[in-house]
Amino acid sequence: QERLVESGGGLVQAGGSLRLSCTASRRTTETDAMGWYRQAPGKAREFVAAMGFSDSTTNFADSVKGRFTISRDNAQNTVYLQMNSLKPEDTAVHYCAAGWIADPFQPLNWGQGTQVTVSA
C-alpha cells in the first residue's frame, strides 16, 4: 500500500482557517483520487472532500460546501484541503485517504490522522 503523510492540523478559533496537506509516497491507480474523512469523538467516520488527479473531479460533503476547497499538486502527489469559516463542529481527527475515483470516494488506503480543533 502507498503511504499517505498528512500535515497541517492544529487549534484555531471559530471563523478561522487551516490548511491540511497530504502527500502520497507514489502515484498509482489506487491514489488517483485523494481526500479526507474525519471522525469526532463518539461519532462515526464521515466523508469530507475528495479530488481526482486525472480528471479534476471534486466531491464535498454538504456540511463543508462553500467553506472548504480542495486542490492538488500532481508533480508532488499532494492534495490540499483549505478549511475556512471553521466551526466548533468541525473538530475531529481528519484522515487523509486515497482511492480510485473521487465521486463516489471509497478509500483503499488511509493516513494516520491529524487533529483539527476549533474553539468557540
Side-chain angles (χ1 to χ4, degrees), residues 2 17 24 27 29 34 39 57 68 81 85 97 112:
E2 315 316 320
S17 299
R27 176 87 176 274
T29 56
M34 292 174 64
Q39 188 167 20
T57 299
F68 292 10
L81 184 69
S85 302
Q112 78 282 2

Side-chain angles (χ1 to χ4, degrees), residues 39-53:
Q39 188 167 20
K43 295 187 177 181
R45 192 172 294 192
E46 64 176 7
F47 168 72
V48 178
M51 184 172 192
F53 277 75

Side-chain angles (χ1 to χ4, degrees), residues 28-101:
T28 69
T29 56
E30 294 186 352
T31 59
D32 199 61
M34 292 174 64
W36 275 269
Y37 276 67
R38 66 187 181 187
Q39 188 167 20
K43 295 187 177 181
R45 192 172 294 192
E46 64 176 7
F47 168 72
V48 178
M51 184 172 192
F53 277 75
S54 296
D55 61 5
S56 301
T57 299
T58 58
N59 184 10
F60 293 94
D62 288 343
S63 59
V64 306
K65 283 181 181 176
R67 300 189 297 123
F68 292 10
T69 59
I70 193 167
S71 61
R72 73 191 193 281
D73 182 335
N74 286 7
Q76 299 296 323
N77 296 334
T78 298
V79 64
Y80 303 97
L81 184 69
Q82 178 66 43
M83 304 184 293
N84 298 327
S85 302
L86 282 162
K87 305 174 182 180
E89 50 264 44
D90 294 316
T91 295
V93 177
H94 285 61
Y95 294 92
C96 179
W100 288 319
I101 59 174

